[in-house]
Amino acid sequence: MNNMLEQTSVSRRDFFRHVGAIGGCGTLLGAFPWLQSCSEDEKKEIAREKVTLAVIGTGSRGQYHLQNLRGLPNVEVTALCDDYAPHLKEAAALYPAARTYTDYRQALENRDIRAVLVATPLNAHPAITIDALEAGKHVFCEKSMALSPAECLAMYRAFKRSGKVLFIGQQRLYDPKYLRAIEMIHAGMLGEITGIRTYWFRNNDWRRPVPTPGLERKINWRLYREFSGGLMTELATHQLQVGNWAMKMIPETVSGFGDLVYWKDGREVYDNVSLVYRYAGGVKMTWESIISNRFYGLEEELLCSSGTMEFEKGKYYFEEIKPASGIMQLINQIEHQVFDRVSFAGPSWVPETAVKNTGYFVTDRVSSHDGASTTGFASDGSVELLAAFCEAAVTGRPAPNLVEEAYYSSVLALLGLQAMEEQRIVTFPDEYKIPYLNFA
């Protein structure tokens, strides 16, 4: 973990140097307003200030952030809060000097705390975030925002009233390979977007060990509707955001099916979902998740008239590829001559030219510790997102459009859940639409 931090989280300036090498820093800042640059005076201020931070929720995700925060220069974790003693004890071992709380409201009363990081179960996000903003704290809240569109809207309005910084945990917005891929898409490099396929496949029961039966719902909260929307709020929000980002708009409708197919163990959330989001003009974005088979992993595939983008792999492909070698073209011609005479293989079936489309990487290839060739950057954007939040908390300047990206992905995930539960096509309600600069 420390080696990873040394590579990815030294400072935000290093991050901008990386993205600048990919596509030109000025271009990226113009296309993605949350990647705002700081003035020279602000850089000096950031260099000498530390944000005092309280981490509320010290389970697996909270401790992941605590590990990453250790490598950032502009933050001091001064408080930890959790109502589950074992998690709080583990977090305190990482930060023994931090004050501990079991009630987040007591932490918010501490005037020495300037910012909070919320990594609690989803159902607690709205109350803690709104209370923290109203207490004058800057807030980093994990995704999704909330369990209902109304709660998401309440969080957004509290943010707008407060004048404080709010970040939501959508790390792809700071992932260099995603930034470069979106830049290429918006520049028209692959032509017109005609379809979007997204999926996230796993093979595990998503359960965690429970010391006593009475703690089942507290520890495995992701499996129960009182606390979570399951696959939609825990996974889909990441990938739905990418589709909106690429399209520069939100879908008009969503329909789909959700079922409990394999993990019939008392959980209340689906383990198998399939949805279709439809944009104006007819482009569809599909999202599928099954957690009883991991063969295809996860990916966001953008299908365009002149090519295809695979965001997670960091690769793109042109429809027109280099011609085959002379000998392969000759073989292909022979195949055409043979099969064109076969009755079952008329014009509806033609052998593909024998060339494999291997595509291109959106970023330069780099070497891993073992010398193997890999792609992209060591980080997925999580550390950069945290670093950006800490710096924004120092300057007090919110990142433009960042909350809006997260808001729409959260609401769309919840509308997808509604469509599955009610078994109907759901239209995006006008009352939940908010202004967003990137939507043309």
Side-chain angles (χ1 to χ4, degrees):
M1 175 63 74
N2 289 336
N3 288 338
M4 179 71 76
L5 288 172
E6 289 173 5
Q7 293 176 25
T8 62
S9 63
V10 175
S11 72
R12 189 126 177 266
R13 182 164 49 192
D14 289 341
F15 171 60
F16 280 125
R17 185 168 67 247
H18 288 319
V19 295
I22 302 170
C25 188
T27 302
L28 283 169
L29 292 176
F32 315 124
W34 53 88
L35 298 180
Q36 57 189 341
S37 58
C38 298
S39 68
E40 290 304 316
D41 289 341
E42 287 172 329
K43 289 178 183 178
K44 293 177 183 178
E45 179 186 2
I46 290 169
R48 64 174 178 261
E49 280 200 44
K50 285 183 180 289
V51 175
T52 50
L53 178 73
V55 175
I56 302 174
T58 57
S60 59
R61 190 64 180 175
Q63 290 186 40
Y64 171 79
H65 286 312
L66 284 168
Q67 291 283 3
N68 286 338
L69 287 164
R70 292 162 72 93
L72 301 181
N74 305 113
V75 61
E76 181 182 1
V77 177
T78 59
L80 302 166
C81 180
D82 206 303
D83 60 4
Y84 184 58
H87 286 166
L88 190 58
K89 182 178 179 180
E90 291 168 357
L94 296 174
Y95 289 87
R99 187 171 179 177
T100 58
Y101 298 88
T102 57
D103 187 331
Y104 79 88
R105 289 164 292 195
Q106 294 177 348
L108 296 182
E109 290 172 358
N110 186 337
R111 295 184 179 181
D112 294 330
I113 295 171
R114 293 176 60 186
V116 300
L117 187 154
V118 182
T120 64
L122 175 59
N123 67 312
H125 286 184
I128 298 174
T129 298
I130 293 171
D131 287 350
L133 290 169
E134 292 179 347
K137 315 295 185 185
H138 303 298
V139 181
F140 181 109
C141 180
E142 260 301 335
K143 63 92 193 101
S144 292
M145 290 181 73
L147 260 177
S148 73
E151 289 176 321
C152 292
L153 185 59
M155 290 173 68
Y156 172 74
R157 288 175 173 168
F159 157 64
K160 298 298 285 186
R161 288 194 307 267
S162 71
K164 296 298 178 181
V165 170
L166 175 62
F167 274 51
I168 306 297
Q170 302 277 170
Q171 64 263 27
R172 282 165 170 78
L173 291 165
Y174 282 81
D175 186 325
K177 66 179 180 292
Y178 279 78
L179 293 169
R180 177 57 174 148
I182 288 290
E183 185 185 31
M184 293 165 64
I185 292 299
H186 288 176
M189 183 173 171
L190 298 180
E192 182 180 347
I193 300 172
T194 56
I196 305 171
R197 295 170 50 190
T198 63
Y199 50 87
W200 200 318
F201 299 121
R202 292 175 167 179
N203 195 343
N204 62 64
D205 61 4
W206 218 2
R207 284 192 168 278
R208 293 182 172 139
V210 178
T212 62
L215 292 172
E216 162 64 17
R217 296 174 76 87
K218 188 175 189 66
I219 292 176
N220 286 312
W221 57 270
R222 290 174 180 83
L223 306 182
Y224 300 99
R225 284 303 315 276
E226 178 185 356
F227 309 101
S228 170
L231 298 173
M232 297 307 299
T233 55
E234 300 304 311
L235 301 182
T237 47
H238 285 300
Q239 298 182 303
L240 299 179
Q241 179 266 317
V242 174
N244 298 339
W245 196 8
M247 289 291 293
K248 295 186 179 182
M249 66 175 74
I250 60 172
E252 295 180 332
T253 61
V254 56
S255 60
F257 296 93
D259 295 281
L260 271 168
V261 173
Y262 186 78
W263 298 108
K264 299 178 181 180
D265 55 3
R267 69 184 63 201
E268 298 169 355
V269 298
Y270 302 132
D271 66 359
N272 185 308
V273 302
S274 182
L275 297 115
V276 179
Y277 290 84
R278 186 183 187 278
Y279 292 91
V283 172
K284 284 89 172 173
M285 172 171 60
T286 62
W287 192 75
E288 187 177 8
S289 185
I290 296 173
I291 54 173
S292 55
N293 183 292
R294 66 174 181 266
F295 184 79
Y296 289 105
L298 74 154
E299 188 57 87
E300 302 95 7
E301 300 172 351
L302 205 68
L303 313 178
C304 303
S305 57
S306 300
T308 300
M309 180 68 73
E310 293 180 332
F311 286 88
E312 187 68 25
K313 293 185 181 71
K315 295 193 73 174
Y316 64 99
Y317 310 81
F318 289 116
E319 289 285 283
E320 299 297 328
I321 58 178
K322 294 179 181 179
S325 64
I327 185 63
M328 294 306 295
Q329 290 189 48
L330 178 60
I331 292 172
N332 185 253
Q333 291 170 8
I334 294 172
E335 288 176 340
H336 273 274
Q337 291 173 2
V338 171
F339 287 109
D340 284 350
R341 297 190 181 98
V342 179
S343 59
F344 65 81
S348 63
W349 184 86
V350 179
E352 296 290 340
T353 301
V355 174
K356 184 177 181 181
N357 189 346
T358 56
Y360 306 88
F361 293 102
V362 301
T363 64
D364 293 334
R365 306 188 85 172
V366 297
S367 296
S368 63
H369 294 300
D370 60 6
S373 179
T374 61
T375 62
F377 290 71
S379 173
D380 66 352
S382 294
V383 177
E384 289 85 355
L385 181 65
L386 270 181
F389 169 71
C390 293
E391 293 184 8
V394 169
T395 64
R397 186 170 66 192
N401 281 16
L402 189 68
V403 176
E404 288 79 0
E405 287 276 0
Y407 170 85
Y408 274 118
S409 65
S410 294
V411 173
L412 284 169
L414 295 168
L415 294 178
L417 190 60
Q418 178 185 350
M420 291 186 291
E421 291 177 337
E422 298 179 2
Q423 297 186 18
R424 67 181 181 90
I425 297 174
V426 171
T427 300
F428 199 109
D430 287 339
E431 61 264 35
Y432 294 124
K433 294 179 180 178
I434 61 173
Y436 180 43
L437 297 177
N438 271 6
F439 289 170

